[in-house]
Amino acid sequence: QMMFLPVDKGFAPDMDSRDLGVLVDCDRLFPTARGMKAVPNPSVDPDRDIGAFPEKVTGAYTFEMVGGGRAYVIGTETALYHGQAASVVDVSRNSNLSYTGGPDNQWRFTNVGNVCLATNFALSRPIQVRNMTAADSTRFADAGGEAPRARIVERVQELGFTFAFNTANADGQTGARLLGDSPDRWWCSDINDHEDWNFSTSGTQSNHGRLLASPGAITAGRALGERIIAYKRDSVWVGSYVGGDVVWAWDMVTTKIG
């Protein structure tokens, strides 16, 4: 009969290997709430194997479509591609515009239903959008509604808000929406409208603000249920929907990690 030993102390390489419940060395394991779990073996979807990519990839995203199946989006320093069966189609903003990027300006993605949102801070344009059910000839386009330029885009799916973090002016923005280069800024769209970022419109729930109580730029953003998490190098902020003029209230929960 096989005997199972509890690994309740987890991975602790500095502890004595004779201590029960400790792992001092392991390979392809990671901790979970129920104990250690093996990392799955990497696999290739034969219907999506496109071989070596023609350019350096600086971001990729896949999501489940509303009607079934999955969408695949790949970003490089100069283009956005739609992954097809064993091939890719260039769906960049237009054939006369090359995106610009690099290792410090990677593509970030999220989705609203079947619509993919992509952002690359090196691009002077606002967040890019494309319905992934559209024909191959349909390209990504600038999001409307005074959408900003941003390093990060994320969606709180349960409440219908799209967020941009670490923002700057984009070509096409005007008036009050010209907020300048703001690495510590959050900016949300109107509820259930990823193409309305005009916070000065009466009755809108689009809003923005800066997280100033801890230093540095926002480096990542992630939805957590009905909340949104913003990360800096040494701090973590939690955003909660409160409505009214504030719309989203932010609490800094730690200054030890980020």
Side-chain angles (χ1 to χ4, degrees):
Q1 184 177 3
M2 184 179 296
M3 181 175 65
F4 293 91
L5 297 176
V7 191
D8 53 346
K9 296 179 182 177
F11 178 63
D14 295 330
M15 293 185 67
D16 191 326
S17 61
R18 294 170 294 182
D19 287 352
L20 188 65
V22 65
L23 283 177
V24 296
D25 189 19
C26 64
D27 184 31
R28 297 177 61 80
L29 294 176
F30 66 96
T32 72
R34 295 187 175 183
M36 304 295 285
K37 185 175 180 180
V39 175
N41 290 323
S43 61
V44 175
D45 182 345
D47 294 330
R48 300 288 173 177
D49 184 8
I50 60 174
F53 211 73
E55 299 179 71
K56 180 180 178 180
V57 173
T58 57
Y61 184 62
T62 180
F63 64 92
E64 187 172 354
M65 304 281 279
V66 174
R70 301 194 67 83
Y72 298 82
V73 187
I74 306 99
T76 70
E77 294 185 9
T78 60
L80 284 168
Y81 295 89
H82 182 195
Q84 306 280 354
S87 66
V88 292
V89 177
D90 188 338
V91 287
S92 303
R93 181 170 172 263
N94 64 56
S95 57
N96 297 319
L97 174 70
S98 291
Y99 295 131
T100 55
D104 296 327
N105 292 293
Q106 298 183 354
W107 286 101
R108 307 287 185 93
F109 303 91
T110 191
N111 68 287
V112 182
N114 292 333
V115 176
C116 180
L117 287 77
T119 189
N120 181 336
F121 193 75
L123 181 68
S124 62
R125 308 301 304 180
I127 294 167
Q128 302 289 285
V129 296
R130 182 182 187 268
N131 189 322
M132 300 308 293
T133 63
D136 289 346
S137 59
T138 301
R139 295 179 173 271
F140 273 91
D142 296 348
E146 304 279 356
R149 174 185 174 200
R151 288 190 185 275
I152 302 153
V153 63
E154 177 65 336
R155 174 80 170 178
V156 181
Q157 302 283 7
E158 294 188 22
L159 293 181
F161 285 92
T162 305
F163 276 83
F165 294 102
N166 197 328
T167 66
N169 295 341
D171 291 350
Q173 284 182 304
T174 59
R177 274 73 64 195
L178 294 173
L179 299 174
D181 192 352
S182 306
D184 50 19
R185 187 177 303 281
W186 63 271
W187 191 333
C188 72
S189 70
D190 195 10
I191 189 169
N192 295 322
D193 192 347
H194 60 277
E195 295 203 64
D196 184 358
W197 300 80
N198 190 344
F199 52 80
S200 60
T201 300
S202 176
T204 186
Q205 293 201 70
S206 174
N207 207 356
H208 68 97
R210 298 176 66 186
L211 305 181
L212 297 171
S214 62
I218 298 172
T219 58
R222 191 67 173 172
L224 182 63
E226 295 184 353
R227 292 182 171 86
I228 182 78
I229 313 299
Y231 299 87
K232 294 188 176 185
R233 186 182 67 178
D234 297 315
S235 60
V236 178
W237 295 72
V238 178
S240 303
Y241 177 71
V242 295
D245 293 335
V246 175
V247 188
W248 287 86
W250 293 86
D251 295 305
M252 184 171 58
V253 296
T254 181
T255 57
K256 303 296 184 182
I257 58 174

